[in-house]
Amino acid sequence: MIRPRILISGARLISCIAVAAVIGACANLRYYAHVTHGESALLLQRRSVDKVIADPSTDPKLATRLQLAQQARQFASKQLDLPNNRSYTYYVELHRPYVVWNVFATPRFSVDAVRQCFPIAGCVAYRGWFDDKKAKQSAERLHAQGNDVYVGGVPAYSTLGWFADPILSSMMRWDDDELVGTIFHELAHQLLYVKGDTAFNESYAMFVENEGLREWHRSRGEPVEDDHDQAMDDGFTKLALDLRERLKKLYASGVDNAAMAAGKEREIADFRVRYAAWRDKNWPNDHRYDAWVSQPINNAKLLPFGLYDQWVHAFAVLFQRADGRWPDFYARVRALARKPTTERESALRDLLDASRLPLSSEATSH
């Protein structure tokens, strides 16, 4: 299952760059020209998946993965009631490790993002670039302004239905569940997207991905993946969010900048100690997060955590109340999406509280 492993690599955060390019409302013309060129290049390079599979020069392993992706694409529309369109019926060979690089930034003494706003997608915590050098230059400019910055490579992104999003060669590095789950996840965004509410959008799409994968495996007579990865990823996310909360309290304490800088370094050092103790106690033979923890950590690097799973359990309750019927579930999600932000978050908190109740108590209350 896909959790902080992908957040750590910057992997599947949705980039809004193509949406901005479509409507021509980027803050500066150079960025607009850049994303227009990047999206256009993808459109020109894409090939029908069916033709790629039929091409005798195609690597058999790639053909097998693409066949699996097409089966998942059909399952998404027929069984999960997700959009039935041309997305993920094309393939693009990128000849680079990522399609986009996202740049995150926060003030030096804040855990809040320097927001990037787009007319359709609303405000998000990053800006995406099709070129890694341009992404690094953007990060350098933000850093020169006194911000913490972080650059993460992105193997896949969504245009929220504006274009027929292709399968990318950068997605082929994933295992089967990540590939299939990504198709479900991104199609869920095409079906429903709330402008400016990243946590809502990502938690909803992550639930569709998780539940979709469970139904996918059941339909194929395959075992559902065990909870090892999920439990470890959830535990690491909790540690990262705890660090962010500690830093938030430090920055609100009112101490001078020198004391704040020292406190920041101390909290990050303490986090590394807590991580090592947690890993050695619970996962002594699994070191998947060691590299991330050993590299420099700042406010911006912590931004992706929590975006994908804040309300996942709330959507699980909503799905249960819809008796597992996808059209009914989507109708309930749309009703939530129409609420003002404060009302929507209050309703989600109520659903989250219900998710913590014993099943029998929840069942008797409805």
Side-chain angles (χ1 to χ4, degrees), residues 93-108:
E93 177 61 52
L94 290 172
H95 303 292
R96 61 180 188 263
Y98 300 110
V99 62
V100 167
W101 284 262
N102 279 345
V103 179
F104 297 84
T106 69
R108 183 186 179 195

Side-chain angles (χ1 to χ4, degrees), residues 103-116:
V103 179
F104 297 84
T106 69
R108 183 186 179 195
F109 298 128
S110 173
V111 295
D112 295 327
V114 175
R115 307 286 279 177
Q116 303 292 329

